[in-house]
Amino acid sequence: MTLRVDVLTLFPDAVTQYATTSVLGRAMERQVWELHVHDFRDATSDVHRTVDDTPFGGGAGMVLRAEPILQTLDDHPEIARPLIALTPSGRRFTHAVAKELSALNGFALLCGRYEGFDERVVDLVVDDEISIGDYVLAGGELAALCVIESVVRLLPGALGNDESSVDETFSEGLLEYPHYTKPAEVRGLGVPEILRSGDHARIERWRRAQALHRTVARRADLIEQRGGLSDIDIAVMAEFPLLEGNGHTG
Ligand code: ADE
């Protein structure tokens, strides 16, 4: 089944360009997903093609007008739902939300600009509001692309190897263990000996220990979310102490 994604934006080329590159582009060629980009400036009816106006009540900045967005939806009844607006005041986007969206047949993303959109767009047509983090972007396009990329790579057939999206950061609530590739020495730094030992059971325990150490050092909130460390976690961390050389882990 092909996931349908619609994007409503004032910068269709920026969205299309990124979404047809690399992993997303290949997944699109394989019909894992399809993209329909709608420029809501096309749905304006005035000669200046105005998409924004000053806020009622005064204040700085411009607000996106409701009508071009509503008209785009009227003109294209095929646009997938739910319609999700990207805004810093939405619910926080996480791996769990990406998984939720990857189970749908499709969804549409509404990218704001300026100070956001007329609230009546939210009242009339928006089903959900998502923020990718506590910072303010100039528009929703980058956020939409973050959502798209993290959702599409979860779909079967999106990545070359179906395994590779499973055993990684966040799927288990832990940060990922460190990776190494050839050569065995880089500017005087080697590779942990165990990774060259061929002992796969030990390597697996070592990787788990490193993931746990990292998560404890950098993201204690994730450990708390999992309900703390289990006896097995503590044992494996004791068996393989913190990897040295990762100075920035603190
Ligand atoms: N638009 C502007 N800032 C945003 C953010 N942090 N998340 C989603 N959409 C946004």
Side-chain angles (χ1 to χ4, degrees), residues 100-159:
E100 199 183 289
L101 297 181
S102 72
L104 302 175
N105 296 327
F107 54 85
L109 299 172
L110 171 61
C111 304
R113 279 270 144 185
Y114 317 113
E115 294 304 303
F117 16 77
D118 189 307
E119 189 64 19
R120 288 162 295 186
V121 173
V122 176
D123 297 340
L124 288 167
V125 293
V126 168
D127 302 301
D128 196 359
E129 294 178 72
I130 283 179
S131 164
I132 62 162
D134 290 342
Y135 40 80
V136 180
L137 303 166
E141 285 76 13
L142 280 175
L145 288 167
C146 289
V147 169
I148 291 170
E149 185 160 298
S150 52
V151 170
V152 168
R153 62 192 299 290
L154 294 177
L155 299 174
L159 305 177

Side-chain angles (χ1 to χ4, degrees), residues 44-249:
T44 51
S45 46
D46 62 310
V47 65
H48 299 296
R49 309 184 81 205
T50 317
V51 291
D52 59 343
D53 210 331
T54 53
F56 276 115
M62 300 291 273
V63 176
L64 287 170
R65 298 170 51 225
E67 201 51 50
I69 295 165
L70 299 174
Q71 190 62 50
T72 301
L73 292 164
D74 287 350
D75 291 346
H76 297 279
E78 74 281 10
I79 288 176
R81 304 297 167 96
L83 175 62
I84 303 163
L86 282 317
T87 149
S89 32
R91 67 178 170 130
R92 175 69 67 82
F93 189 63
T94 61
H95 179 74
V97 181
K99 261 174 91 173
E100 199 183 289
L101 297 181
S102 72
L104 302 175
N105 296 327
F107 54 85
L109 299 172
L110 171 61
C111 304
R113 279 270 144 185
Y114 317 113
E115 294 304 303
F117 16 77
D118 189 307
E119 189 64 19
R120 288 162 295 186
V121 173
V122 176
D123 297 340
L124 288 167
V125 293
V126 168
D127 302 301
D128 196 359
E129 294 178 72
I130 283 179
S131 164
I132 62 162
D134 290 342
Y135 40 80
V136 180
L137 303 166
E141 285 76 13
L142 280 175
L145 288 167
C146 289
V147 169
I148 291 170
E149 185 160 298
S150 52
V151 170
V152 168
R153 62 192 299 290
L154 294 177
L155 299 174
L159 305 177
N161 163 12
D162 265 357
E163 297 291 289
S164 46
S165 73
V166 179
D167 175 31
E168 60 182 30
T169 303
F170 298 125
S171 58
E172 256 208 283
L174 292 178
L175 303 184
E176 215 172 348
Y177 53 79
H179 301 273
Y180 298 86
T181 185
K182 288 170 272 303
E185 192 182 309
V186 173
R187 306 212 176 181
L189 291 183
V191 169
E193 216 32 65
I194 187 171
L195 296 179
R196 306 174 68 192
S197 69
D199 183 342
H200 294 293
R202 253 187 113 228
I203 290 173
E204 206 169 299
R205 290 204 307 284
W206 179 88
R207 285 179 166 164
R208 181 140 194 108
Q210 300 308 324
L212 285 161
H213 283 303
R214 276 195 168 179
T215 312
V216 167
R218 302 179 187 180
R219 293 291 307 274
D221 59 306
L222 292 178
I223 299 290
E224 205 168 306
Q225 262 176 47
R226 316 167 74 234
L229 295 170
S230 70
D231 291 347
I232 296 171
D233 293 340
I234 291 164
V236 87
M237 289 169 82
E239 181 182 359
F240 299 103
L242 185 61
L243 181 64
E244 290 191 10
N246 257 333
H248 64 86
T249 56

